[in-house]
Amino acid sequence: QVQLVESGGGSVQAGGSLRLSCAASGYAYGIYCMGWFRQAPGKEREGVAAIYTGGGSAYYADSVKGRFTISQDNAKNTLYLQMNSLKPEDTAMYYCAADQRPLPCYSVNPGRVRANFASWGQGTQVTVSS
């Protein structure tokens, strides 16, 4: 199973930026799909973005489209989430997830990130103040 460690969370004011990182390790063969999820207190977990690690095709939830960018550095086995124009409603614990199984990262109709990724990180907190 893939081990994932997130970093880069913190507290920012609305309109600010943060970059989350997710370092992957402990796997013998390739990761097929990676994603970022978030969960705010009292709310369901939301798939924010996902990417096919081989081809780079990405998906974004409507709530973050145009503000967040998911990217990867295969040489460093690291996934990133660049978050710009942050809003108070972006406040949540953010989780990185990975899957080595060749399953769809996301669906487009309806649009959503697949929820049942095999490996999950511990999360990093993002707090946006108004």
Side-chain angles (χ1 to χ4, degrees):
Q1 190 158 353
V2 181
Q3 281 79 54
L4 302 169
V5 179
E6 302 97 334
S7 62
S11 297
V12 296
Q13 290 190 326
S17 298
L18 283 173
R19 188 177 79 157
L20 305 183
S21 299
C22 173
S25 64
Y27 54 100
Y29 61 97
I31 295 173
Y32 186 75
C33 181
M34 296 191 77
W36 287 99
F37 294 76
R38 67 185 182 186
Q39 188 166 21
K43 294 189 176 181
E44 292 187 355
R45 186 175 63 193
E46 175 189 16
V48 172
I51 188 168
Y52 286 99
T53 59
S57 175
Y59 166 86
Y60 298 92
D62 287 344
S63 57
V64 306
K65 197 174 295 182
R67 300 187 298 122
F68 291 11
T69 303
I70 189 171
S71 63
Q72 57 185 345
D73 185 332
N74 290 335
K76 295 182 178 180
N77 296 328
T78 301
L79 181 75
Y80 302 100
L81 185 69
Q82 178 66 45
M83 305 186 296
N84 298 328
S85 302
L86 282 161
K87 305 174 182 180
E89 51 263 44
D90 294 318
T91 295
M93 184 71 78
Y94 282 71
Y95 299 91
C96 171
D99 210 320
Q100 297 171 290
R101 300 172 296 175
L103 300 174
C105 292
Y106 51 84
S107 61
V108 294
N109 188 22
R112 62 170 171 248
V113 180
R114 177 169 56 87
N116 61 339
F117 278 59
S119 302
W120 293 83
Q122 293 300 307
T124 185
Q125 177 68 37
V126 172
T127 303
V128 184
S129 58
S130 58

